[in-house]
């Protein structure tokens, strides 16, 4: 199915005329006719976005056939950004870009049940084996960025830490003297103790609240 067929299908399913679609997109009816006939091979990006909104379909589906056809209802799903960032499970991973490369849909009801704020969540990838079997290389980590203060760290939870330009995903244990123990789930790695004085040089990006992987 090419773009002219997808456009005609979406318009028919939406039950609107070419004239109504043209009005919503901000173009002429003749232009819509030319789209559906295939006379116009490439639709202006802004017109395509407006047409998609009027037809209640995703621009990506209309332009490229990328599923799903319809957008997720905002109140039902939350789209969490996946960043071009990786957190090491071993010696640390240096990152130069935090560009958003994709999004993953999470049920809004599930997020509320976990007391998570969709606006404070990010997804990053993991590399290394020091958190095996809990986290494996290539896993996606859902990070709650609200939990980023050293005094609020949860004992036994997994956090993403930034030390200089290096990112780590590690399990944390607080001590009464103000220091923290950075631990790996893979027992071949030894734990490290960070004194209270050195905590100022560490940024806690947030707590890992979910791990996703392909099998």
């Amino acid at each position: 199915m090419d773009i002219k067929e997808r456009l005609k299908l979406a318009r028919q399913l939406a039950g609107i005329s070419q004239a109504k679609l043209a009005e919503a997109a901000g173009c002429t009816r003749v232009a819509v006719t030319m789209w559906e006939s295939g006379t116009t091979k490439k639709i202006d990006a802004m017109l395509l976005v407006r047409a998609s909104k009027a037809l209640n379909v995703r621009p990506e589906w209309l332009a490229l056939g990328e599923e799903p056809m319809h957008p997720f209802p905002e109140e039902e799903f939350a789209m969490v950004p996946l960043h071009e960032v990786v957190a090491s499970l071993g010696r640390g991973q240096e990152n130069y870009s935090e560009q958003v490369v994709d999004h993953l849909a999470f049920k809004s009801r599930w997020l509320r049940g976990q007391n998570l704020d969709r606006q404070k969540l990010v997804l990053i990838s993991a590399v290394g084996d020091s958190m095996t079997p809990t986290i494996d290389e290539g896993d996606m980590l859902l990070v709650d960025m609200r939990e980023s203060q050293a005094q609020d760290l949860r004992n036994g939870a997994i956090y993403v830490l930034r030390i200089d330009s290096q990112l780590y995903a590690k399990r944390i244990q607080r001590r009464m003297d103000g220091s923290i123990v950075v631990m790996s789930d893979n027992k071949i790695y030894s734990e490290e103790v960070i004194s209270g004085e050195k905590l100022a040089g560490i940024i806690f990006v947030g707590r890992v609240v979910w791990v996703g992987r392909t099998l």
Side-chain angles (χ1 to χ4, degrees):
M1 185 184 296
D2 58 23
I3 187 169
K4 70 177 187 293
E5 294 170 324
R6 290 192 295 272
L7 182 67
K8 187 172 183 179
L9 172 63
R11 185 177 61 78
Q12 291 173 340
L13 290 174
I16 65 176
S17 65
Q18 288 186 343
K20 287 292 186 182
L21 178 57
E23 181 181 352
C27 63
T28 65
R29 182 181 180 281
V30 173
V32 175
T33 301
M34 294 175 68
W35 295 348
E36 291 190 1
S37 68
T39 303
T40 300
K41 302 297 183 182
K42 186 176 181 181
I43 303 174
D44 177 82
M46 184 58 69
L47 296 179
L48 186 139
V49 169
R50 291 172 183 164
S52 299
K53 186 175 182 179
L55 298 169
N56 191 33
V57 297
R58 296 173 62 246
E60 297 86 351
W61 177 84
L62 187 57
L64 305 171
E66 179 184 302
E67 296 292 345
M69 177 180 180
H70 298 288
F72 292 122
E74 185 176 349
E75 66 277 5
E76 185 177 354
F77 288 91
M79 302 300 292
V80 178
L82 172 63
H83 289 259
E84 192 178 25
V85 170
V86 290
S88 175
L89 310 178
R91 297 183 177 179
Q93 178 67 38
E94 192 162 1
N95 289 277
Y96 299 97
S97 171
E98 295 188 7
Q99 180 181 354
V100 175
V101 295
D102 206 345
H103 289 79
L104 192 66
F106 286 83
K107 280 275 193 178
S108 297
R109 182 176 180 180
W110 181 82
L111 294 179
R112 289 192 297 269
Q114 301 298 316
N115 192 30
L116 298 173
D117 180 354
R118 67 171 69 188
Q119 302 297 327
K120 299 297 183 180
L121 297 171
V122 294
L123 284 161
I124 63 176
S125 300
V127 295
D129 66 350
S130 73
M131 290 300 291
T132 300
T134 309
I135 302 173
D136 292 326
E137 181 161 344
D139 286 353
M140 285 190 295
L141 310 180
L142 181 64
V143 182
D144 183 0
M145 296 189 298
R146 294 176 303 177
E147 300 194 28
S148 59
Q149 301 300 316
Q151 65 270 20
D152 298 328
L153 298 180
R154 303 188 189 190
N155 280 333
I158 299 174
Y159 285 84
V160 175
L161 299 75
R162 186 189 296 273
I163 303 176
D164 297 325
S165 59
Q166 307 265 325
L167 283 184
Y168 303 82
K170 295 291 183 180
R171 198 174 295 279
I172 297 299
Q173 186 73 43
R174 296 172 60 185
R175 287 184 169 178
M176 294 182 65
D177 61 4
S179 64
I180 64 169
V181 183
V182 179
M183 301 176 291
S184 300
D185 285 4
N186 187 339
K187 298 309 177 185
I188 69 171
Y189 291 85
S190 59
E191 64 183 35
E192 296 184 38
V193 178
I194 301 176
S195 66
E197 294 78 16
K198 293 183 178 180
L199 282 178
I202 297 176
I203 296 174
F204 293 92
V205 178
R207 181 170 63 93
V208 178
V209 296
W210 176 88
V211 177
R213 65 178 56 133
T214 57
L215 299 177

